[in-house]
Coordinates of all heavy atoms in Angstrom, one line a residue:
L1613 N 37.0 60.2 124.7 CA 36.5 61.5 125.1 C 37.6 62.2 125.9 O 38.2 61.5 126.8 CB 35.2 61.5 125.9 CG 33.9 61.1 125.1 CD1 32.7 61.2 126.0 CD2 33.7 62.0 123.9
Q1616 N 37.2 68.8 129.5 CA 37.8 70.1 129.9 C 37.0 70.7 131.1 O 35.7 70.9 130.9 CB 37.8 71.1 128.7 CG 38.5 72.4 129.1 CD 38.7 73.3 127.9 OE1 37.7 73.4 127.0 NE2 39.8 73.9 127.8
E1630 N 33.4 69.8 129.9 CA 32.8 69.6 128.5 C 33.5 68.3 128.0 O 34.7 68.2 128.0 CB 33.1 70.8 127.6 CG 32.6 70.4 126.2 CD 32.7 71.6 125.2 OE1 33.1 72.7 125.5 OE2 32.2 71.4 124.0
A1631 N 32.7 67.4 127.4 CA 33.3 66.2 126.8 C 33.6 66.5 125.3 O 32.7 67.0 124.6 CB 32.2 65.1 126.9
L1632 N 34.8 66.2 124.9 CA 35.2 66.5 123.5 C 35.8 65.3 122.9 O 36.6 64.6 123.5 CB 36.3 67.7 123.5 CG 35.7 69.0 124.0 CD1 36.7 69.9 124.5 CD2 34.9 69.7 122.8
M1633 N 35.3 65.0 121.7 CA 35.7 63.7 121.1 C 37.1 63.7 120.5 O 37.5 64.7 119.9 CB 34.6 63.4 120.0 CG 34.4 61.9 119.8 SD 33.1 61.7 118.5 CE 31.7 62.0 119.5
R1634 N 37.8 62.6 120.6 CA 39.1 62.5 120.1 C 39.2 61.2 119.2 O 38.6 60.2 119.6 CB 40.2 62.4 121.2 CG 40.3 63.6 122.0 CD 40.9 64.8 121.2 NE 41.0 66.0 121.9 CZ 40.1 67.0 121.8 NH1 39.0 66.9 121.0 NH2 40.3 68.1 122.4
F1642 N 46.4 61.7 115.2 CA 45.4 62.5 115.6 C 44.6 63.2 114.5 O 45.2 63.7 113.6 CB 46.0 63.6 116.5 CG 45.0 64.7 116.9 CD1 44.2 64.5 118.0 CD2 44.9 65.9 116.2 CE1 43.3 65.5 118.4 CE2 44.0 66.9 116.6 CZ 43.2 66.7 117.7
S1644 N 41.7 65.9 113.7 CA 41.0 67.0 114.4 C 39.5 66.9 114.3 O 38.9 66.5 113.3 CB 41.4 68.4 113.8 OG 40.5 69.4 114.3
P1645 N 38.8 67.1 115.4 CA 37.3 67.1 115.4 C 36.8 68.1 114.4 O 35.7 67.9 113.8 CB 36.9 67.6 116.8 CG 38.1 67.4 117.7 CD 39.3 67.5 116.8
A1646 N 37.6 69.2 114.1 CA 37.1 70.1 113.1 C 37.0 69.5 111.7 O 36.3 70.0 110.8 CB 38.1 71.3 113.1
F1648 N 36.7 65.7 111.4 CA 35.8 64.5 111.4 C 34.4 64.8 111.9 O 33.4 64.1 111.5 CB 36.4 63.3 112.1 CG 36.5 63.4 113.6 CD1 35.4 63.0 114.4 CD2 37.7 63.7 114.2 CE1 35.4 63.1 115.8 CE2 37.7 63.7 115.6 CZ 36.6 63.4 116.4
I1649 N 34.2 65.8 112.7 CA 32.8 66.1 113.2 C 31.9 66.5 112.0 O 30.8 66.0 111.8 CB 32.8 67.1 114.4 CG1 33.4 66.4 115.6 CG2 31.3 67.5 114.7 CD1 32.6 65.4 116.3
P1650 N 32.3 67.5 111.2 CA 31.5 67.9 110.1 C 31.2 66.7 109.1 O 30.0 66.5 108.6 CB 32.3 68.9 109.3 CG 33.2 69.5 110.4 CD 33.5 68.3 111.3
E1653 N 28.6 64.6 110.8 CA 27.3 65.2 110.8 C 26.7 65.1 109.4 O 25.5 64.7 109.3 CB 27.4 66.7 111.2 CG 27.7 66.9 112.6 CD 27.8 68.4 113.1 OE1 27.8 69.3 112.2 OE2 27.9 68.6 114.3
I1658 N 27.1 60.8 112.9 CA 27.2 61.5 114.2 C 26.1 60.9 115.2 O 26.4 60.9 116.4 CB 26.9 63.0 114.0 CG1 27.3 63.8 115.3 CG2 25.5 63.4 113.7 CD1 28.8 63.9 115.5
A1661 N 27.7 58.2 116.9 CA 28.9 58.7 117.7 C 28.4 59.4 118.9 O 28.9 59.3 120.0 CB 29.7 59.6 116.8
S1662 N 27.3 60.2 118.8 CA 26.8 61.0 119.9 C 26.2 60.0 121.0 O 26.4 60.3 122.2 CB 25.6 61.9 119.5 OG 26.1 62.8 118.6
W1664 N 27.3 57.0 121.6 CA 28.5 56.5 122.3 C 29.0 57.5 123.2 O 29.4 57.2 124.4 CB 29.5 56.1 121.2 CG 30.8 55.8 121.8 CD1 31.2 54.6 122.3 CD2 31.9 56.7 122.0 NE1 32.5 54.7 122.9 CE2 32.9 56.0 122.7 CE3 32.1 58.0 121.7 CZ2 34.1 56.5 123.0 CZ3 33.3 58.6 122.1 CH2 34.3 57.9 122.7
A1665 N 29.1 58.8 122.8 CA 29.7 59.8 123.6 C 28.9 60.0 124.9 O 29.5 60.2 126.0 CB 29.9 61.1 122.8
V1688 N 27.7 67.6 127.0 CA 28.0 66.8 125.8 C 27.4 67.6 124.5 O 26.3 68.1 124.6 CB 27.3 65.4 125.9 CG1 27.5 64.6 124.7 CG2 27.8 64.7 127.2
N1689 N 28.2 67.6 123.5 CA 27.8 68.3 122.2 C 26.9 67.4 121.4 O 27.1 66.2 121.2 CB 29.1 68.5 121.4 CG 30.0 69.6 122.0 OD1 29.7 70.8 122.0 ND2 31.1 69.1 122.7
F1690 N 25.8 68.0 121.0 CA 24.9 67.3 120.1 C 24.6 68.2 118.8 O 24.7 69.4 118.8 CB 23.5 67.1 120.8 CG 23.6 66.0 121.8 CD1 23.8 66.4 123.2 CD2 23.5 64.7 121.5 CE1 23.9 65.4 124.2 CE2 23.6 63.7 122.5 CZ 23.8 64.1 123.8
S1691 N 24.4 67.4 117.7 CA 24.1 68.1 116.4 C 22.7 68.1 116.1 O 21.9 67.4 116.8 CB 24.9 67.4 115.3 OG 24.3 66.2 115.1
D1694 N 21.2 64.7 115.6 CA 20.8 64.0 116.8 C 19.4 64.3 117.2 O 18.6 63.5 117.6 CB 21.7 64.3 118.0 CG 23.2 63.9 117.7 OD1 23.4 62.7 117.3 OD2 24.1 64.7 117.8
E1721 N 24.8 70.4 124.8 CA 25.3 71.6 124.1 C 24.8 71.6 122.7 O 25.0 70.6 121.9 CB 26.8 71.6 124.1 CG 27.4 72.1 125.3 CD 28.8 72.5 125.3 OE1 29.4 72.8 124.2 OE2 29.5 72.5 126.3
T1723 N 23.7 74.1 119.0 CA 24.1 75.4 118.4 C 22.8 76.2 118.1 O 21.7 75.7 118.0 CB 24.9 75.1 117.1 OG1 24.0 74.3 116.3 CG2 26.1 74.3 117.3
D1751 N 25.9 76.6 122.4 CA 27.4 76.6 122.1 C 27.7 77.7 121.1 O 26.8 78.2 120.4 CB 27.7 75.3 121.4 CG 29.2 74.9 121.6 OD1 29.9 75.7 122.2 OD2 29.6 73.8 121.1
D1752 N 28.9 78.2 121.2 CA 29.5 79.2 120.2 C 28.5 80.4 120.1 O 28.3 80.9 119.0 CB 29.6 78.6 118.8 CG 30.5 77.3 118.8 OD1 31.3 77.2 119.8 OD2 30.4 76.5 117.9
K1772 N 27.1 79.9 126.0 CA 28.5 79.7 125.9 C 29.1 80.8 125.0 O 28.8 80.8 123.8 CB 28.9 78.3 125.5 CG 28.4 77.3 126.4 CD 29.1 75.9 126.2 CE 30.5 75.9 126.7 NZ 31.1 74.5 126.6
D1774 N 31.4 82.4 122.6 CA 32.3 81.8 121.6 C 33.8 82.3 121.9 O 34.0 83.4 122.2 CB 31.9 82.2 120.2 CG 32.7 81.3 119.2 OD1 32.4 80.2 119.1 OD2 33.7 81.9 118.6
Q1775 N 34.7 81.4 121.7 CA 36.1 81.7 122.0 C 36.7 82.8 121.1 O 37.6 83.4 121.5 CB 36.9 80.4 122.0 CG 36.8 79.5 120.9 CD 37.7 78.3 121.1 OE1 38.9 78.4 121.0 NE2 37.2 77.2 121.3
R1779 N 39.0 85.3 123.0 CA 40.4 85.3 122.6 C 41.0 86.8 122.5 O 42.0 87.1 123.0 CB 40.6 84.6 121.3 CG 42.0 84.2 121.0 CD 42.2 83.5 119.6 NE 41.2 82.4 119.5 CZ 40.5 82.2 118.4 NH1 40.6 83.0 117.4 NH2 39.7 81.1 118.4
E1808 N 34.2 80.6 126.8 CA 35.1 79.5 126.2 C 36.5 80.1 125.8 O 36.5 81.3 125.5 CB 34.5 79.0 124.9 CG 33.2 78.3 125.1 CD 32.8 77.6 123.8 OE1 32.5 78.3 122.8 OE2 32.8 76.4 123.8
G1809 N 37.5 79.3 125.8 CA 38.8 79.7 125.3 C 39.5 80.7 126.2 O 40.2 81.6 125.6
V1810 N 39.3 80.7 127.5 CA 40.1 81.6 128.4 C 41.5 81.1 128.5 O 41.8 80.0 129.0 CB 39.4 81.7 129.8 CG1 40.2 82.5 130.7 CG2 38.0 82.3 129.6
E1811 N 42.4 82.0 128.0 CA 43.8 81.6 128.0 C 44.7 82.3 129.0 O 45.9 82.1 129.1 CB 44.4 81.7 126.6 CG 43.7 80.7 125.6 CD 44.4 80.6 124.3 OE1 45.4 81.3 124.0 OE2 43.9 79.8 123.4
Q1828 N 35.9 78.1 130.7 CA 36.8 77.0 130.4 C 37.8 77.5 129.5 O 37.6 78.5 128.8 CB 36.0 75.8 129.8 CG 35.4 76.1 128.4 CD 34.5 75.0 127.9 OE1 33.3 75.1 128.2 NE2 35.0 74.1 127.2
G1829 N 39.0 76.9 129.5 CA 40.1 77.3 128.6 C 41.4 76.8 129.1 O 41.5 76.3 130.2
Y1830 N 42.4 77.0 128.2 CA 43.7 76.5 128.5 C 44.3 77.0 129.7 O 45.2 76.4 130.4 CB 44.7 76.7 127.3 CG 44.3 76.0 126.0 CD1 44.9 76.3 124.8 CD2 43.3 75.0 126.0 CE1 44.6 75.7 123.6 CE2 43.0 74.3 124.8 CZ 43.6 74.7 123.6 OH 43.3 74.0 122.5
Y1831 N 43.9 78.3 130.1 CA 44.4 78.9 131.3 C 44.1 78.0 132.5 O 45.0 77.8 133.4 CB 43.8 80.3 131.6 CG 44.3 80.9 132.8 CD1 45.7 81.2 133.0 CD2 43.5 81.1 133.9 CE1 46.2 81.7 134.1 CE2 44.0 81.7 135.1 CZ 45.3 82.0 135.2 OH 45.8 82.5 136.4
A1833 N 42.7 74.5 132.3 CA 43.1 73.2 131.9 C 42.8 72.9 130.4 O 41.7 73.4 130.0 CB 42.5 72.1 132.8
K1834 N 43.6 72.2 129.8 CA 43.3 71.7 128.4 C 42.3 70.6 128.5 O 42.2 70.0 129.6 CB 44.6 71.2 127.7 CG 45.5 72.4 127.4 CD 46.5 72.0 126.3 CE 47.1 73.3 125.7 NZ 48.1 73.0 124.7
P1835 N 41.6 70.2 127.5 CA 40.8 69.0 127.5 C 41.8 67.8 127.9 O 42.9 67.7 127.3 CB 40.3 68.8 126.1 CG 40.3 70.2 125.6 CD 41.5 70.8 126.2
Ligands
LIG753 P1 33.5 73.4 120.7 O1 32.3 72.6 121.1 O2 33.3 74.9 120.6 O3 34.6 73.0 121.7 C1 35.6 73.8 122.2 C2 36.9 73.7 121.5 O4 37.8 74.7 121.9 C3 37.6 72.4 121.7 O5 38.2 72.0 120.5 C4 38.6 72.7 122.8 O6 39.7 71.8 122.7 C5 39.0 74.1 122.3 N1 39.5 74.9 123.4 C6 39.2 74.8 124.7 N2 39.9 75.7 125.5 C7 40.6 76.4 124.6 C8 41.5 77.6 124.7 O7 41.8 78.1 125.8 N3 42.1 78.0 123.6 C9 41.9 77.5 122.4 N4 42.5 78.0 121.3 N5 41.0 76.4 122.2 C10 40.4 75.9 123.3 P2 38.2 70.6 119.9 O8 38.2 69.6 120.9 O9 39.2 70.6 118.8 O10 36.7 70.5 119.2 C11 36.4 71.3 118.1 C12 34.9 71.2 117.8 O11 34.5 69.9 117.4 C13 34.1 71.5 119.1 O12 34.0 72.9 119.3 C14 32.7 70.9 118.7 O13 32.0 71.8 117.8 C15 33.2 69.7 117.9 N6 33.1 68.5 118.8 C16 34.1 68.0 119.6 N7 33.6 66.9 120.2 C17 32.4 66.7 119.8 C18 31.3 65.7 120.1 O14 31.5 64.8 120.9 N8 30.1 65.9 119.4 C19 29.9 66.9 118.5 N9 28.7 67.0 117.9 N10 30.8 67.8 118.3 C20 32.0 67.7 118.9

Side-chain angles (χ1 to χ4, degrees):
L1613 289 183
Q1616 185 174 41
E1630 177 172 4
L1632 294 155
M1633 210 177 282
R1634 294 292 176 259
F1642 174 83
S1644 169
F1648 73 81
I1649 294 287
E1653 287 180 351
I1658 194 72
S1662 299
W1664 169 83
V1688 181
N1689 292 285
F1690 287 96
S1691 73
D1694 298 307
E1721 280 195 24
T1723 58
D1751 204 358
D1752 305 335
K1772 297 193 75 172
D1774 191 75
Q1775 48 181 290
R1779 195 184 307 136
E1808 296 188 291
V1810 173
E1811 294 189 0
Q1828 63 189 91
Y1830 295 170
Y1831 179 63
K1834 290 199 166 177

